[in-house]
Amino acid sequence: MALTKGKCADPTIQLDVDEMVLDYLLYMSTKALLEERTAQRIRNSKRPDHELHSDLLLGMVDDFLPIFRSHHPTYRPSTSLQCRLHLLKYTSLFIHRFYPSVAAPSLSSLKAVRRQNRKRAARWLRHRAELSATDQISLSAFSSAQPLSEESLDLDPQHVLSTFAVSDVISFYGTPSSPTLLDAFPIFMALSATIAPTASITPAWMATAGELMLQSSLEQYIVYGAQGPGALTEAFAWGYDALENLAEGEQGSINAMFYDESGMENLVAGEVETWTSLREDHMRALIPDPGVDLATHLANVSARFPLDGFEDKILNFLQASLASQPVPILTQLEMGKLEGMSREKTEALKRRVGIM
């Protein structure tokens, strides 16, 4: 798909055309990423050179976004377009944490994201004041014998890569420059809040998010050698915050996901009770019983929650998120038929916006 060379859209419809182009690029980039990752897993082989379609599309997104913003400096994306942006960003970070990409954030950007994420988690924990003295004692297991050695865990970045059928890059995953599940977690939450802004969180979603919290913690300790309980508490610092109930924008939408207006008598007042229990259960699963070696315990937890099964859940969630959104207008035009419009009118629209 490309606008006809030498033509440009009428200024009165410039924004509409630019929106359609951006919507198309976001959709096609996400679709290509998911298709390539699925094909890679089916073959159980490394990523070959010819599977670079997603890199090309991601490069086009990176090139087009600054142009779009310069043309429309006051533009505020619709919920649908915001969902597309979150979906592409999370999909790219989730898949590209294994190997470098044209769309990979810089190390300085990742450091800024990590500082911001730690600040958010600290505020949430401070507001909730949720950890009791017993929890603090339990978490002390994460304060000693850190970082965990590869020998004691019998796990390392290369073990994880082989589990995920990624073997062509051996010096990126597990380094400070590779995005982590913990880095991308706020985007997962923002995506979830944007997909169904007025709907309650479902048991299926909670199960996926719960395991994502657990796997984010495991990755920090097993792959990145995290020290102390900070990575654990950050990963699980999600839920209803009564002190943020008037927050607007993205943070307000995320907070509202966990709110249950009939749940003022719940363990956490106002929070969906099932989420409270699920979050606590997954967090406690990572904390060893007294006298149990932490490395041994985490290795056992990792075996109980296989990585390949976890990736299935996340990829299914991302595929479903993509399918839940309308097919972009330009994609429909490529196929020669716009939903609700005759082929003749479709052809007329293509001529109007300069596609033919």
mmCIF file of all heavy atoms in Angstrom, residues 85-130:
data_model
loop_
_atom_site.group_PDB
_atom_site.id
_atom_site.type_symbol
_atom_site.label_atom_id
_atom_site.label_comp_id
_atom_site.label_asym_id
_atom_site.label_seq_id
_atom_site.Cartn_x
_atom_site.Cartn_y
_atom_site.Cartn_z
ATOM 1 N N LEU A 85 -1.462 1.698 19.350
ATOM 2 C CA LEU A 85 -0.129 2.112 19.775
ATOM 3 C C LEU A 85 0.369 1.262 20.935
ATOM 4 O O LEU A 85 1.505 0.774 20.929
ATOM 5 C CB LEU A 85 -0.145 3.592 20.177
ATOM 6 C CG LEU A 85 -0.251 4.606 19.035
ATOM 7 C CD1 LEU A 85 -0.696 5.968 19.559
ATOM 8 C CD2 LEU A 85 1.087 4.740 18.313
ATOM 9 N N HIS A 86 -0.479 1.073 21.942
ATOM 10 C CA HIS A 86 -0.096 0.237 23.089
ATOM 11 C C HIS A 86 0.164 -1.205 22.659
ATOM 12 O O HIS A 86 1.119 -1.840 23.127
ATOM 13 C CB HIS A 86 -1.202 0.249 24.147
ATOM 14 C CG HIS A 86 -1.324 1.538 24.903
ATOM 15 N ND1 HIS A 86 -0.236 2.284 25.285
ATOM 16 C CD2 HIS A 86 -2.420 2.206 25.363
ATOM 17 C CE1 HIS A 86 -0.642 3.358 25.948
ATOM 18 N NE2 HIS A 86 -1.958 3.326 26.007
ATOM 19 N N LEU A 87 -0.687 -1.715 21.776
ATOM 20 C CA LEU A 87 -0.554 -3.108 21.345
ATOM 21 C C LEU A 87 0.754 -3.333 20.601
ATOM 22 O O LEU A 87 1.462 -4.322 20.847
ATOM 23 C CB LEU A 87 -1.742 -3.490 20.460
ATOM 24 C CG LEU A 87 -1.763 -4.920 19.904
ATOM 25 C CD1 LEU A 87 -1.681 -5.941 21.029
ATOM 26 C CD2 LEU A 87 -3.024 -5.142 19.066
ATOM 27 N N LEU A 88 1.094 -2.428 19.707
ATOM 28 C CA LEU A 88 2.360 -2.578 18.972
ATOM 29 C C LEU A 88 3.549 -2.439 19.910
ATOM 30 O O LEU A 88 4.505 -3.221 19.828
ATOM 31 C CB LEU A 88 2.453 -1.532 17.857
ATOM 32 C CG LEU A 88 3.789 -1.536 17.088
ATOM 33 C CD1 LEU A 88 4.069 -2.890 16.462
ATOM 34 C CD2 LEU A 88 3.811 -0.433 16.032
ATOM 35 N N LYS A 89 3.493 -1.470 20.800
ATOM 36 C CA LYS A 89 4.629 -1.255 21.700
ATOM 37 C C LYS A 89 4.859 -2.463 22.597
ATOM 38 O O LYS A 89 5.999 -2.916 22.762
ATOM 39 C CB LYS A 89 4.388 0.002 22.544
ATOM 40 C CG LYS A 89 5.617 0.457 23.307
ATOM 41 C CD LYS A 89 5.397 1.829 23.919
ATOM 42 C CE LYS A 89 6.669 2.345 24.590
ATOM 43 N NZ LYS A 89 6.465 3.690 25.190
ATOM 44 N N TYR A 90 3.763 -3.011 23.168
ATOM 45 C CA TYR A 90 3.946 -4.160 24.051
ATOM 46 C C TYR A 90 4.393 -5.393 23.265
ATOM 47 O O TYR A 90 5.284 -6.126 23.703
ATOM 48 C CB TYR A 90 2.662 -4.484 24.826
ATOM 49 C CG TYR A 90 2.925 -5.576 25.844
ATOM 50 C CD1 TYR A 90 3.551 -5.275 27.040
ATOM 51 C CD2 TYR A 90 2.619 -6.915 25.564
ATOM 52 C CE1 TYR A 90 3.850 -6.273 27.961
ATOM 53 C CE2 TYR A 90 2.922 -7.905 26.479
ATOM 54 C CZ TYR A 90 3.546 -7.577 27.668
ATOM 55 O OH TYR A 90 3.867 -8.571 28.565
ATOM 56 N N THR A 91 3.790 -5.629 22.113
ATOM 57 C CA THR A 91 4.164 -6.785 21.297
ATOM 58 C C THR A 91 5.638 -6.720 20.924
ATOM 59 O O THR A 91 6.363 -7.715 21.001
ATOM 60 C CB THR A 91 3.305 -6.848 20.021
ATOM 61 O OG1 THR A 91 1.921 -6.911 20.389
ATOM 62 C CG2 THR A 91 3.649 -8.067 19.188
ATOM 63 N N SER A 92 6.092 -5.547 20.510
ATOM 64 C CA SER A 92 7.485 -5.378 20.112
ATOM 65 C C SER A 92 8.428 -5.614 21.278
ATOM 66 O O SER A 92 9.440 -6.317 21.149
ATOM 67 C CB SER A 92 7.693 -3.968 19.533
ATOM 68 O OG SER A 92 9.027 -3.778 19.138
ATOM 69 N N LEU A 93 8.116 -5.054 22.439
ATOM 70 C CA LEU A 93 8.984 -5.235 23.603
ATOM 71 C C LEU A 93 8.991 -6.691 24.071
ATOM 72 O O LEU A 93 10.040 -7.228 24.431
ATOM 73 C CB LEU A 93 8.531 -4.320 24.741
ATOM 74 C CG LEU A 93 8.799 -2.824 24.560
ATOM 75 C CD1 LEU A 93 8.152 -2.031 25.679
ATOM 76 C CD2 LEU A 93 10.302 -2.543 24.514
ATOM 77 N N PHE A 94 7.827 -7.325 24.064
ATOM 78 C CA PHE A 94 7.736 -8.713 24.522
ATOM 79 C C PHE A 94 8.570 -9.636 23.639
ATOM 80 O O PHE A 94 9.305 -10.495 24.130
ATOM 81 C CB PHE A 94 6.275 -9.174 24.526
ATOM 82 C CG PHE A 94 6.095 -10.594 24.993
ATOM 83 C CD1 PHE A 94 6.132 -10.902 26.340
ATOM 84 C CD2 PHE A 94 5.892 -11.631 24.086
ATOM 85 C CE1 PHE A 94 5.976 -12.205 26.786
ATOM 86 C CE2 PHE A 94 5.738 -12.941 24.511
ATOM 87 C CZ PHE A 94 5.770 -13.221 25.871
ATOM 88 N N ILE A 95 8.475 -9.466 22.334
ATOM 89 C CA ILE A 95 9.177 -10.343 21.399
ATOM 90 C C ILE A 95 10.644 -9.955 21.257
ATOM 91 O O ILE A 95 11.527 -10.818 21.203
ATOM 92 C CB ILE A 95 8.480 -10.315 20.022
ATOM 93 C CG1 ILE A 95 7.096 -10.981 20.132
ATOM 94 C CG2 ILE A 95 9.319 -11.017 18.953
ATOM 95 C CD1 ILE A 95 6.255 -10.891 18.882
ATOM 96 N N HIS A 96 10.918 -8.656 21.242
ATOM 97 C CA HIS A 96 12.280 -8.203 20.975
ATOM 98 C C HIS A 96 13.154 -8.126 22.217
ATOM 99 O O HIS A 96 14.279 -7.622 22.147
ATOM 100 C CB HIS A 96 12.248 -6.848 20.275
ATOM 101 C CG HIS A 96 11.834 -6.942 18.849
ATOM 102 N ND1 HIS A 96 11.119 -5.945 18.206
ATOM 103 C CD2 HIS A 96 12.008 -7.918 17.925
ATOM 104 C CE1 HIS A 96 10.886 -6.305 16.958
ATOM 105 N NE2 HIS A 96 11.408 -7.496 16.770
ATOM 106 N N ARG A 97 12.666 -8.619 23.354
ATOM 107 C CA ARG A 97 13.573 -8.672 24.493
ATOM 108 C C ARG A 97 14.648 -9.741 24.284
ATOM 109 O O ARG A 97 15.661 -9.746 24.976
ATOM 110 C CB ARG A 97 12.804 -8.912 25.786
ATOM 111 C CG ARG A 97 12.213 -10.296 25.989
ATOM 112 C CD ARG A 97 11.294 -10.293 27.206
ATOM 113 N NE ARG A 97 10.960 -11.630 27.677
ATOM 114 C CZ ARG A 97 10.029 -12.379 27.131
ATOM 115 N NH1 ARG A 97 9.333 -11.928 26.090
ATOM 116 N NH2 ARG A 97 9.775 -13.582 27.629
ATOM 117 N N PHE A 98 14.443 -10.627 23.305
ATOM 118 C CA PHE A 98 15.410 -11.689 23.037
ATOM 119 C C PHE A 98 16.549 -11.253 22.129
ATOM 120 O O PHE A 98 17.646 -11.787 22.193
ATOM 121 C CB PHE A 98 14.713 -12.894 22.388
ATOM 122 C CG PHE A 98 13.644 -13.501 23.248
ATOM 123 C CD1 PHE A 98 12.376 -13.743 22.738
ATOM 124 C CD2 PHE A 98 13.894 -13.839 24.563
ATOM 125 C CE1 PHE A 98 11.388 -14.310 23.521
ATOM 126 C CE2 PHE A 98 12.911 -14.399 25.356
ATOM 127 C CZ PHE A 98 11.656 -14.634 24.831
ATOM 128 N N TYR A 99 16.290 -10.312 21.228
ATOM 129 C CA TYR A 99 17.318 -9.921 20.263
ATOM 130 C C TYR A 99 17.120 -8.457 19.864
ATOM 131 O O TYR A 99 16.028 -7.916 19.962
ATOM 132 C CB TYR A 99 17.278 -10.814 19.017
ATOM 133 C CG TYR A 99 15.912 -11.081 18.456
ATOM 134 C CD1 TYR A 99 15.230 -10.120 17.710
ATOM 135 C CD2 TYR A 99 15.281 -12.306 18.680
ATOM 136 C CE1 TYR A 99 13.974 -10.367 17.205
ATOM 137 C CE2 TYR A 99 14.011 -12.564 18.176
ATOM 138 C CZ TYR A 99 13.371 -11.583 17.436
ATOM 139 O OH TYR A 99 12.116 -11.830 16.934
ATOM 140 N N PRO A 100 18.196 -7.799 19.425
ATOM 141 C CA PRO A 100 18.095 -6.383 19.058
ATOM 142 C C PRO A 100 17.129 -6.170 17.899
ATOM 143 O O PRO A 100 16.927 -7.054 17.073
ATOM 144 C CB PRO A 100 19.527 -6.014 18.649
ATOM 145 C CG PRO A 100 20.390 -7.073 19.230
ATOM 146 C CD PRO A 100 19.555 -8.321 19.265
ATOM 147 N N SER A 101 16.564 -4.993 17.843
ATOM 148 C CA SER A 101 15.617 -4.656 16.791
ATOM 149 C C SER A 101 15.763 -3.185 16.436
ATOM 150 O O SER A 101 16.256 -2.381 17.243
ATOM 151 C CB SER A 101 14.187 -4.937 17.257
ATOM 152 O OG SER A 101 13.238 -4.242 16.489
ATOM 153 N N VAL A 102 15.312 -2.835 15.229
ATOM 154 C CA VAL A 102 15.326 -1.426 14.830
ATOM 155 C C VAL A 102 14.431 -0.604 15.750
ATOM 156 O O VAL A 102 14.609 0.618 15.880
ATOM 157 C CB VAL A 102 14.858 -1.265 13.368
ATOM 158 C CG1 VAL A 102 15.826 -1.926 12.419
ATOM 159 C CG2 VAL A 102 13.447 -1.828 13.177
ATOM 160 N N ALA A 103 13.462 -1.261 16.377
ATOM 161 C CA ALA A 103 12.521 -0.551 17.241
ATOM 162 C C ALA A 103 12.897 -0.634 18.713
ATOM 163 O O ALA A 103 12.168 -0.134 19.565
ATOM 164 C CB ALA A 103 11.114 -1.114 17.043
ATOM 165 N N ALA A 104 14.020 -1.253 19.027
ATOM 166 C CA ALA A 104 14.409 -1.433 20.429
ATOM 167 C C ALA A 104 14.732 -0.083 21.069
ATOM 168 O O ALA A 104 15.395 0.755 20.455
ATOM 169 C CB ALA A 104 15.605 -2.359 20.522
ATOM 170 N N PRO A 105 14.259 0.145 22.290
ATOM 171 C CA PRO A 105 14.595 1.406 22.970
ATOM 172 C C PRO A 105 16.075 1.435 23.330
ATOM 173 O O PRO A 105 16.704 0.399 23.526
ATOM 174 C CB PRO A 105 13.712 1.379 24.221
ATOM 175 C CG PRO A 105 13.419 -0.069 24.452
ATOM 176 C CD PRO A 105 13.386 -0.710 23.102
ATOM 177 N N SER A 106 16.624 2.629 23.425
ATOM 178 C CA SER A 106 18.027 2.775 23.806
ATOM 179 C C SER A 106 18.200 2.449 25.284
ATOM 180 O O SER A 106 17.235 2.429 26.055
ATOM 181 C CB SER A 106 18.489 4.204 23.538
ATOM 182 O OG SER A 106 17.788 5.119 24.380
ATOM 183 N N LEU A 107 19.443 2.204 25.680
ATOM 184 C CA LEU A 107 19.719 1.917 27.089
ATOM 185 C C LEU A 107 19.314 3.102 27.960
ATOM 186 O O LEU A 107 18.749 2.909 29.047
ATOM 187 C CB LEU A 107 21.201 1.590 27.273
ATOM 188 C CG LEU A 107 21.649 1.300 28.717
ATOM 189 C CD1 LEU A 107 20.848 0.158 29.312
ATOM 190 C CD2 LEU A 107 23.147 0.997 28.747
ATOM 191 N N SER A 108 19.568 4.314 27.506
ATOM 192 C CA SER A 108 19.189 5.483 28.301
ATOM 193 C C SER A 108 17.675 5.575 28.459
ATOM 194 O O SER A 108 17.173 5.933 29.533
ATOM 195 C CB SER A 108 19.739 6.764 27.654
ATOM 196 O OG SER A 108 19.217 6.933 26.344
ATOM 197 N N SER A 109 16.934 5.209 27.402
ATOM 198 C CA SER A 109 15.472 5.211 27.492
ATOM 199 C C SER A 109 14.989 4.151 28.470
ATOM 200 O O SER A 109 14.068 4.389 29.261
ATOM 201 C CB SER A 109 14.854 4.965 26.110
ATOM 202 O OG SER A 109 15.145 6.010 25.228
ATOM 203 N N LEU A 110 15.617 2.968 28.421
ATOM 204 C CA LEU A 110 15.238 1.897 29.345
ATOM 205 C C LEU A 110 15.518 2.295 30.792
ATOM 206 O O LEU A 110 14.719 2.005 31.688
ATOM 207 C CB LEU A 110 15.986 0.617 28.993
ATOM 208 C CG LEU A 110 15.489 -0.155 27.778
ATOM 209 C CD1 LEU A 110 16.422 -1.323 27.463
ATOM 210 C CD2 LEU A 110 14.064 -0.668 27.997
ATOM 211 N N LYS A 111 16.631 2.949 31.015
ATOM 212 C CA LYS A 111 16.949 3.388 32.381
ATOM 213 C C LYS A 111 15.909 4.375 32.886
ATOM 214 O O LYS A 111 15.498 4.315 34.056
ATOM 215 C CB LYS A 111 18.344 4.019 32.415
ATOM 216 C CG LYS A 111 19.483 3.012 32.291
ATOM 217 C CD LYS A 111 20.839 3.713 32.353
ATOM 218 C CE LYS A 111 21.983 2.703 32.310
ATOM 219 N NZ LYS A 111 23.317 3.381 32.338
ATOM 220 N N ALA A 112 15.460 5.271 32.002
ATOM 221 C CA ALA A 112 14.430 6.234 32.391
ATOM 222 C C ALA A 112 13.111 5.525 32.694
ATOM 223 O O ALA A 112 12.417 5.852 33.666
ATOM 224 C CB ALA A 112 14.237 7.271 31.281
ATOM 225 N N VAL A 113 12.761 4.531 31.866
ATOM 226 C CA VAL A 113 11.546 3.747 32.092
ATOM 227 C C VAL A 113 11.627 3.013 33.421
ATOM 228 O O VAL A 113 10.642 2.978 34.192
ATOM 229 C CB VAL A 113 11.336 2.740 30.941
ATOM 230 C CG1 VAL A 113 10.301 1.682 31.318
ATOM 231 C CG2 VAL A 113 10.911 3.455 29.667
ATOM 232 N N ARG A 114 12.779 2.441 33.724
ATOM 233 C CA ARG A 114 12.937 1.693 34.970
ATOM 234 C C ARG A 114 12.814 2.593 36.188
ATOM 235 O O ARG A 114 12.216 2.203 37.205
ATOM 236 C CB ARG A 114 14.277 0.946 34.948
ATOM 237 C CG ARG A 114 14.246 -0.219 33.972
ATOM 238 C CD ARG A 114 15.616 -0.718 33.565
ATOM 239 N NE ARG A 114 15.480 -1.722 32.501
ATOM 240 C CZ ARG A 114 16.472 -2.147 31.725
ATOM 241 N NH1 ARG A 114 17.696 -1.632 31.877
ATOM 242 N NH2 ARG A 114 16.244 -3.055 30.791
ATOM 243 N N ARG A 115 13.376 3.785 36.101
ATOM 244 C CA ARG A 115 13.221 4.738 37.213
ATOM 245 C C ARG A 115 11.757 5.120 37.406
ATOM 246 O O ARG A 115 11.256 5.169 38.534
ATOM 247 C CB ARG A 115 14.063 5.996 36.950
ATOM 248 C CG ARG A 115 15.556 5.796 37.106
ATOM 249 C CD ARG A 115 16.272 7.137 37.151
ATOM 250 N NE ARG A 115 16.120 7.890 35.910
ATOM 251 C CZ ARG A 115 16.952 7.797 34.877
ATOM 252 N NH1 ARG A 115 18.002 6.998 34.938
ATOM 253 N NH2 ARG A 115 16.752 8.527 33.788
ATOM 254 N N GLN A 116 11.076 5.361 36.299
ATOM 255 C CA GLN A 116 9.666 5.739 36.364
ATOM 256 C C GLN A 116 8.824 4.591 36.920
ATOM 257 O O GLN A 116 7.921 4.813 37.744
ATOM 258 C CB GLN A 116 9.183 6.119 34.969
ATOM 259 C CG GLN A 116 7.727 6.565 34.912
ATOM 260 C CD GLN A 116 7.314 6.974 33.505
ATOM 261 O OE1 GLN A 116 8.154 7.199 32.635
ATOM 262 N NE2 GLN A 116 6.019 7.058 33.266
ATOM 263 N N ASN A 117 9.117 3.364 36.502
ATOM 264 C CA ASN A 117 8.358 2.207 36.981
ATOM 265 C C ASN A 117 8.572 1.984 38.477
ATOM 266 O O ASN A 117 7.628 1.664 39.210
ATOM 267 C CB ASN A 117 8.751 0.957 36.208
ATOM 268 C CG ASN A 117 8.252 0.969 34.773
ATOM 269 O OD1 ASN A 117 7.516 1.864 34.372
ATOM 270 N ND2 ASN A 117 8.650 -0.033 33.995
ATOM 271 N N ARG A 118 9.820 2.137 38.923
ATOM 272 C CA ARG A 118 10.094 1.968 40.359
ATOM 273 C C ARG A 118 9.378 3.050 41.173
ATOM 274 O O ARG A 118 8.862 2.772 42.269
ATOM 275 C CB ARG A 118 11.603 2.008 40.616
ATOM 276 C CG ARG A 118 12.340 0.746 40.173
ATOM 277 C CD ARG A 118 13.746 0.706 40.724
ATOM 278 N NE ARG A 118 14.580 1.784 40.197
ATOM 279 C CZ ARG A 118 15.338 1.675 39.116
ATOM 280 N NH1 ARG A 118 15.361 0.539 38.429
ATOM 281 N NH2 ARG A 118 16.079 2.682 38.714
ATOM 282 N N LYS A 119 9.341 4.248 40.633
ATOM 283 C CA LYS A 119 8.666 5.345 41.325
ATOM 284 C C LYS A 119 7.170 5.069 41.426
ATOM 285 O O LYS A 119 6.555 5.293 42.476
ATOM 286 C CB LYS A 119 8.925 6.649 40.570
ATOM 287 C CG LYS A 119 8.343 7.882 41.227
ATOM 288 C CD LYS A 119 8.695 9.130 40.434
ATOM 289 C CE LYS A 119 8.092 10.383 41.073
ATOM 290 N NZ LYS A 119 8.424 11.607 40.289
ATOM 291 N N ARG A 120 6.572 4.573 40.337
ATOM 292 C CA ARG A 120 5.139 4.245 40.352
ATOM 293 C C ARG A 120 4.843 3.166 41.378
ATOM 294 O O ARG A 120 3.893 3.269 42.160
ATOM 295 C CB ARG A 120 4.696 3.766 38.966
ATOM 296 C CG ARG A 120 3.208 3.428 38.873
ATOM 297 C CD ARG A 120 2.926 2.350 37.850
ATOM 298 N NE ARG A 120 3.559 1.094 38.191
ATOM 299 C CZ ARG A 120 3.075 0.228 39.084
ATOM 300 N NH1 ARG A 120 1.954 0.487 39.742
ATOM 301 N NH2 ARG A 120 3.713 -0.902 39.334
ATOM 302 N N ALA A 121 5.662 2.106 41.377
ATOM 303 C CA ALA A 121 5.445 0.993 42.305
ATOM 304 C C ALA A 121 5.598 1.449 43.754
ATOM 305 O O ALA A 121 4.804 1.047 44.628
ATOM 306 C CB ALA A 121 6.415 -0.139 42.000
ATOM 307 N N ALA A 122 6.600 2.292 44.016
ATOM 308 C CA ALA A 122 6.817 2.774 45.388
ATOM 309 C C ALA A 122 5.618 3.594 45.861
ATOM 310 O O ALA A 122 5.191 3.479 47.020
ATOM 311 C CB ALA A 122 8.091 3.608 45.447
ATOM 312 N N ARG A 123 5.064 4.395 44.966
ATOM 313 C CA ARG A 123 3.879 5.198 45.329
ATOM 314 C C ARG A 123 2.695 4.293 45.619
ATOM 315 O O ARG A 123 1.960 4.494 46.601
ATOM 316 C CB ARG A 123 3.554 6.180 44.199
ATOM 317 C CG ARG A 123 2.373 7.095 44.523
ATOM 318 C CD ARG A 123 2.092 8.112 43.422
ATOM 319 N NE ARG A 123 1.610 7.478 42.186
ATOM 320 C CZ ARG A 123 2.324 7.375 41.085
ATOM 321 N NH1 ARG A 123 3.559 7.847 41.035
ATOM 322 N NH2 ARG A 123 1.820 6.796 40.006
ATOM 323 N N TRP A 124 2.495 3.277 44.778
ATOM 324 C CA TRP A 124 1.379 2.353 44.980
ATOM 325 C C TRP A 124 1.513 1.620 46.311
ATOM 326 O O TRP A 124 0.554 1.508 47.081
ATOM 327 C CB TRP A 124 1.330 1.352 43.823
ATOM 328 C CG TRP A 124 0.140 0.451 43.828
ATOM 329 C CD1 TRP A 124 -1.062 0.672 43.233
ATOM 330 C CD2 TRP A 124 0.038 -0.841 44.455
ATOM 331 N NE1 TRP A 124 -1.915 -0.386 43.440
ATOM 332 C CE2 TRP A 124 -1.266 -1.340 44.196
ATOM 333 C CE3 TRP A 124 0.912 -1.617 45.206
ATOM 334 C CZ2 TRP A 124 -1.696 -2.573 44.665
ATOM 335 C CZ3 TRP A 124 0.479 -2.849 45.685
ATOM 336 C CH2 TRP A 124 -0.816 -3.319 45.403
ATOM 337 N N LEU A 125 2.713 1.124 46.595
ATOM 338 C CA LEU A 125 2.928 0.391 47.845
ATOM 339 C C LEU A 125 2.758 1.310 49.048
ATOM 340 O O LEU A 125 2.225 0.899 50.087
ATOM 341 C CB LEU A 125 4.336 -0.233 47.845
ATOM 342 C CG LEU A 125 4.538 -1.398 46.873
ATOM 343 C CD1 LEU A 125 6.029 -1.705 46.701
ATOM 344 C CD2 LEU A 125 3.806 -2.640 47.362
ATOM 345 N N ARG A 126 3.201 2.529 48.897
ATOM 346 C CA ARG A 126 3.061 3.491 49.993
ATOM 347 C C ARG A 126 1.592 3.779 50.251
ATOM 348 O O ARG A 126 1.152 3.834 51.412
ATOM 349 C CB ARG A 126 3.816 4.771 49.648
ATOM 350 C CG ARG A 126 3.906 5.788 50.772
ATOM 351 C CD ARG A 126 4.891 6.894 50.449
ATOM 352 N NE ARG A 126 4.511 7.638 49.255
ATOM 353 C CZ ARG A 126 5.159 7.587 48.092
ATOM 354 N NH1 ARG A 126 6.211 6.801 47.964
ATOM 355 N NH2 ARG A 126 4.762 8.312 47.063
ATOM 356 N N HIS A 127 0.830 3.940 49.186
ATOM 357 C CA HIS A 127 -0.599 4.220 49.340
ATOM 358 C C HIS A 127 -1.335 3.028 49.949
ATOM 359 O O HIS A 127 -2.206 3.195 50.803
ATOM 360 C CB HIS A 127 -1.220 4.562 47.983
ATOM 361 C CG HIS A 127 -0.840 5.915 47.478
ATOM 362 N ND1 HIS A 127 -1.257 6.400 46.258
ATOM 363 C CD2 HIS A 127 -0.079 6.895 48.021
ATOM 364 C CE1 HIS A 127 -0.778 7.622 46.079
ATOM 365 N NE2 HIS A 127 -0.060 7.937 47.127
ATOM 366 N N ARG A 128 -0.993 1.872 49.494
ATOM 367 C CA ARG A 128 -1.702 0.680 49.986
ATOM 368 C C ARG A 128 -1.252 0.276 51.383
ATOM 369 O O ARG A 128 -2.027 -0.317 52.138
ATOM 370 C CB ARG A 128 -1.471 -0.487 49.027
ATOM 371 C CG ARG A 128 -2.184 -0.366 47.693
ATOM 372 C CD ARG A 128 -3.646 -0.757 47.776
ATOM 373 N NE ARG A 128 -3.801 -2.173 47.990
ATOM 374 C CZ ARG A 128 -4.169 -3.033 47.060
ATOM 375 N NH1 ARG A 128 -4.433 -2.607 45.842
ATOM 376 N NH2 ARG A 128 -4.284 -4.318 47.327
ATOM 377 N N ALA A 129 0.013 0.572 51.735
ATOM 378 C CA ALA A 129 0.581 0.139 53.014
ATOM 379 C C ALA A 129 0.208 -1.309 53.258
ATOM 380 O O ALA A 129 -0.274 -1.689 54.335
ATOM 381 C CB ALA A 129 0.071 1.035 54.143
ATOM 382 N N GLU A 130 0.428 -2.149 52.217
ATOM 383 C CA GLU A 130 -0.143 -3.485 52.226
ATOM 384 C C GLU A 130 0.723 -4.531 52.927
ATOM 385 O O GLU A 130 0.229 -5.522 53.442
ATOM 386 C CB GLU A 130 -0.379 -3.910 50.774
ATOM 387 C CG GLU A 130 -1.092 -5.214 50.621
ATOM 388 C CD GLU A 130 -1.380 -5.488 49.154
ATOM 389 O OE1 GLU A 130 -0.447 -5.825 48.429
ATOM 390 O OE2 GLU A 130 -2.536 -5.356 48.766
#
